[in-house]
Each structure stands twice: as structure tokens, then as C-alpha cells.
Amino acid sequence: MTDRDLVDHGAPHLAVIGAGPAGLAAAVAAAARGVRVTLIDSAAEAGGQFYRQPAPALRARRPQALHHQWRAWERLRDGLAAHVEAGRVRHLTEHHVWFVERPPGGGFTVHALLGPEQRDRAAVRADAVLLATGGYEKVLPFPGWTLPGVVTAGGAQAMLKGSLAVSGRTAVVAGTGPLLLPVATGLAAAGVEVAALVESADPKAFLRRTRALVAQPAKVAEGAQYAAELLRHRVRPLARHTVVEAHGTERLEAVTVAALDVDGRVRSGTGRRIPCDTLAVGHGMLPHTDLAETLGCGLDGLAVRVDDEQRTDVPGVWAAGETTGIGGAALSLAEGHIAGRSAAARLRGTRPDPDGWAAAARARSRLRAFFTALDSVYAPPARWTDRITDDTVVCRCEEVTGGAIRAAVVELGAGDARTVKLLTRAGMGWCQGRVCGPAVAGLAGCELAVSRRPFARPVPLGVLARAGESEDG
């Protein structure tokens, strides 16, 4: 079977990869300015994680109860529907993009696998590509983190938004970062007893960031609203605390939390055991950059580098949203709008008009400053690796323990994550180090670096074999 070519005849043609806030804003903005758009996404419905909707079969009566910024979603949803109906946008759902090719003749070919089984192939040919691939959660292991009942904070939120389900009756929400607030309040509103919100950050650190906070009064008000919801549901906040261990035999039964000192060490004698059947834990987000890397886009640290128009340093490739740096839905909307307008102008051979996106640019600047300040506050505790015991599984795919990684560093001289990977197989499994990467780097004492992969997701060998046969023919 060869690729099913999905070609829009007539130029210009923009392929937008990702239908979250950034991708939706970009697709709507570009389509409104005369560009034919193909919006490609792996989910069955548009919205991404932030605007994730319950399955239609659940017949949710008030899905907006699980969201804020609902009006922004309605505008995007209705705008997309209007462009789809008019034939300006084609929305391809359940298309899992694994590679973007630059053929010798110019333009781009976006390769995707279709449906839940990901067996059939599709190829979308376009004049330009806009990457809105979002981000994924950073996972830091600790004893017991592999027990059933321990989920990521984003996973708990996705379960609640997408299926109106929770994984238990009593939960602890822990880690660090602003995502913990909507997760805790969402679970509490759904009837879960949230026994504690365990945040490792120090609230006093916000006092040193007052300038950035004052510049975003809406965000401050949003935080205050979450705090009021926590108080109303009697959720106990534990600041400068961390989860030391998760306990259970067949599944999670309790967690031990403890206070942290100013250096990020666990304070002796402060441990307390909290019974629960769910632990939603998160330590921030990382940008999805796999497709950008395969295209040769430059990075600033772990994020895709872009200019004021959201252009990467690869001609014909734009990027917007969390892939250019984690900053939330409002920032993604602003970047997507700018990227869509810029791409439309460039593809149509006209000069971009920055005055047309001036408001979005101002919002982008303020929100970037705000989230830069938040990043400095919501950092994992400095000594988090101390809580990874030698028998704690770090790489779940290959079942590599903390002790094996430490032995590779101390006894075998590994000084970077790549060498640890070669010596222990940590990061060689299905996720290719996306989950264990931060922990391996932390234990190795090196900076987390982007791992260049030939494809953005695992691909069946049969797909590659057929691709080769197609090229040879």
C-alpha cells in the first residue's frame, strides 16, 4: 500500500500540525486571509489538551464547567467550522504525524499514520508548515511512582475533561507548577476528596516577582479564584513540601509527604502519611520539538527558536504555542494568531503587516515575561534526585533503576545522558527517553538536552518498508 496523497490543488497551501489553541488560532487567521489550510491533528476532536471535550456519547450537559476561557474556545470552534464549511480549511482528525519531508522540488510533505491502529498512511503536500505540536509533562520519579493510582497531573485532567471520570475517591495533588491548581480544583468539583495540594515551591518567591505579576492582573485574579475554590472545597495546601514515597501493594494506598528546607532537602522529622487512592503529580512541561528537530529548526535551550513573526530559521516553517516555550493557552493563542497572519502574507507574496497583530504581539511579550517569572518560582526542588533510591525504577520501558544509572556515572565514568543510555539502556524503550530523560539527566548531573530522533513518534517497520518501496518505484 502506498501513501494516500491528500493534496489541495491550488496555491498557496499551509499545513498546520496540531489543533490545540495555537494551531486553531493559526488556522483560522491564515484561512481568513486567503490561504488554503490543512489542519492535521492526532485527536478525534479539535481543542488539544486545554480545550479537551467530553466524548459526544457522554452527552455532557455543561462541559464548560471543566474549563475557563470558554468563550475563546467557542470563537475558535465556530471560526474553524465556518472555514471548513466554506472549503478554506480541511480538518484531518486522528492523523498521527511522524515525519515532515522536504522534497527536492520544494514545499513539504507531511507523513501521518491514520486512526487508533495507525496502520494506514497519508501524505499531505503543502507549500509551508506551521508547527503547533504543544508540550508534554515532565516526570520526576520517586519510590512508588509506578504504582497503579499514580498518574500525571495532566493525565488526571485529561481523564476528567475527556471522559468525566476520576481514578479514585481520595486524591493528593503534588509536584510544582500552575497546572496543579486547576487539577486540584477540577477533581474537588467532581466530588473527589482532595486530601492535600502538595507544592514544592515557596510562596515567598512570588514576592520577588511582583513586577511580572502586576503586569498580568487577569492571571493574578485567576490564581485568586483557584485559591478560593480550594478553600471552599477544604483542600489543604502544603507549600514547600514534596512527596517522598507512594505506598501500596496492588495499587496506591497512601503517600508520605515531607517539608523542604531552603536548599531543597527533606527536613528530618516532618514526614506525614496521607491515605489516598490517587496521586496526581506533575513537575512542569517540556516543549514538543521532535518535528522541528527533524526539519533542522534551531532551538533555544529546549524550545524552538522563532522570530517576531513566529518563523523558525528553516524557510517555510513557522512554530507557535508550547513548542516555542511553555506559556499556557493565552500565549499560545497570541502566537498562533501572529504565525497564521504571517504565514498567510508570506505565502501570498505580500508584506506582513505587524500593525495587524500588534495587540497579539503585546500580549505575547507580557505573557512571556510572566511565565519566565513563574518558571523561576516553579522549579523542582534543587535536591530532588536525593529522593530517588537505588531500587527506584527510573526508565519504565527498560526497567532501569536509579542504582544502575548511578553506577554508570560513578563506576563507569558516564558524564552525560547519552553515555548513560548506551551503558544502561535507559531511554531506549518505546518513549525514547521522553519520560525518563529529565531523571536520567538529573542523576547524571548534566543538563537536559534535546535528543535528536529521526521520527517524531514510533513507526511500524512495515510502514518504513513500504515507504522505501514507494520511493524506489
Side-chain angles (χ1 to χ4, degrees), residues 13-18 26 38 40 97 99-103 107-111 124-133 291-292 295 297 310-312 314-320 339-340 343 347:
H13 178 204
L14 174 68
V16 177
I17 304 174
T38 299
I40 311 165
V97 177
F99 187 61
V100 179
E101 179 185 8
R102 287 192 285 174
F108 299 86
T109 303
V110 180
H111 295 278
V124 177
R125 299 175 184 175
D127 300 301
V129 170
L130 197 155
L131 303 174
T133 48
L291 288 174
L295 283 165
C297 300
Q310 299 296 138
R311 293 179 297 175
T312 72
V314 174
V317 180
W318 282 254
L347 285 171

Side-chain angles (χ1 to χ4, degrees), residues 144-150 246-254 273 276-277 396:
W145 75 291
T146 58
L147 280 169
V150 180
H247 309 280
T249 51
E250 296 298 320
R251 63 165 289 117
L252 179 69
E253 298 171 4
R273 189 182 177 106
C276 61
D277 53 18
R396 300 179 72 166

Side-chain angles (χ1 to χ4, degrees), residues 309-378:
E309 295 183 33
Q310 299 296 138
R311 293 179 297 175
T312 72
D313 48 17
V314 174
V317 180
W318 282 254
E322 309 279 42
T323 191
T324 68
I326 305 302
L331 178 56
S332 294
L333 290 172
E335 290 190 352
H337 181 76
I338 293 169
R341 292 183 65 129
S342 169
R346 297 285 180 181
L347 285 171
R348 294 174 63 236
T350 61
R351 183 181 297 275
D353 178 19
D355 291 340
W357 63 67
R362 289 192 296 270
R364 177 180 60 184
S365 178
R366 292 194 299 265
L367 286 165
R368 275 284 171 223
F370 176 77
F371 279 96
T372 298
L374 284 193
D375 285 345
S376 65
V377 173
Y378 287 124

Side-chain angles (χ1 to χ4, degrees), residues 1-3 121 464-473:
M1 181 187 300
T2 59
D3 285 347
R121 297 174 294 159
L464 298 180
R466 291 195 299 269
E469 292 170 2
S470 175
E471 291 172 1
D472 292 340

Side-chain angles (χ1 to χ4, degrees), residues 31-376:
R33 286 157 183 83
V35 170
R36 194 178 297 271
V37 176
T38 299
L39 178 62
I40 311 165
D41 193 58
S42 60
E45 302 285 342
Q49 167 73 350
F50 188 78
Y51 292 125
R52 184 185 294 270
Q53 304 295 306
L58 296 174
R59 298 181 180 178
R61 289 178 293 180
R62 295 183 63 251
Q64 64 269 30
L66 298 173
H67 296 266
H68 59 287
Q69 299 182 19
W70 185 255
R71 290 183 178 178
W73 157 246
E74 289 181 320
R75 288 193 297 270
L76 286 173
R77 179 197 62 195
D78 296 345
L80 175 65
H83 287 303
V84 169
E85 184 177 359
R88 291 183 290 268
V89 174
R90 182 179 45 176
H91 182 199
L92 303 180
T93 60
E94 296 189 313
H95 279 60
H96 306 262
V97 177
W98 58 276
F99 187 61
V100 179
E101 179 185 8
R102 287 192 285 174
F108 299 86
T109 303
V110 180
H111 295 278
L113 300 175
L114 278 63
E117 295 183 354
Q118 301 184 39
R119 290 180 179 174
D120 294 330
R121 297 174 294 159
V124 177
R125 299 175 184 175
D127 300 301
V129 170
L130 197 155
L131 303 174
T133 48
Y136 63 100
E137 285 189 271
K138 181 192 298 183
V139 178
L140 302 180
F142 51 88
W145 75 291
T146 58
L147 280 169
V150 180
V151 297
T152 64
Q157 187 183 58
M159 188 186 306
L160 183 59
K161 286 182 176 181
S163 62
L164 305 180
V166 294
S167 63
R169 297 181 178 179
T170 305
V172 169
V173 179
T176 189
L179 178 61
L180 302 187
L181 292 172
V183 171
T185 55
L187 290 174
V192 176
E193 179 190 352
V194 180
L197 172 58
V198 183
E199 169 59 69
S200 62
D202 184 355
K204 295 179 182 177
F206 285 103
L207 299 178
R208 298 190 292 272
R209 307 291 187 273
T210 53
R211 184 174 181 179
L213 295 177
V214 170
Q216 287 294 315
K219 288 292 182 183
V220 175
E222 184 180 313
Q225 182 179 354
Y226 282 131
E229 287 293 309
L230 294 174
L231 183 63
R232 185 168 71 86
H233 290 288
R234 298 181 180 179
V235 177
R236 175 174 50 172
L238 296 174
R240 286 183 60 184
H241 280 66
T242 190
V243 172
V244 176
E245 185 174 359
H247 309 280
T249 51
E250 296 298 320
R251 63 165 289 117
L252 179 69
E253 298 171 4
V255 297
T256 294
V257 304
L260 297 169
D261 64 18
V262 293
D263 295 320
R265 295 184 178 88
V266 171
R267 290 170 52 193
S268 178
T270 63
R272 66 180 81 178
R273 189 182 177 106
I274 303 176
C276 61
D277 53 18
T278 296
L279 171 62
V281 60
H283 295 92
M285 303 280 292
L286 296 170
H288 257 308
T289 60
D290 292 347
L291 288 174
E293 294 163 44
T294 62
L295 283 165
C297 300
L299 304 179
D300 282 332
L302 300 176
V304 178
R305 182 189 308 125
V306 292
D307 64 10
D308 290 342
E309 295 183 33
Q310 299 296 138
R311 293 179 297 175
T312 72
D313 48 17
V314 174
V317 180
W318 282 254
E322 309 279 42
T323 191
T324 68
I326 305 302
L331 178 56
S332 294
L333 290 172
E335 290 190 352
H337 181 76
I338 293 169
R341 292 183 65 129
S342 169
R346 297 285 180 181
L347 285 171
R348 294 174 63 236
T350 61
R351 183 181 297 275
D353 178 19
D355 291 340
W357 63 67
R362 289 192 296 270
R364 177 180 60 184
S365 178
R366 292 194 299 265
L367 286 165
R368 275 284 171 223
F370 176 77
F371 279 96
T372 298
L374 284 193
D375 285 345
S376 65

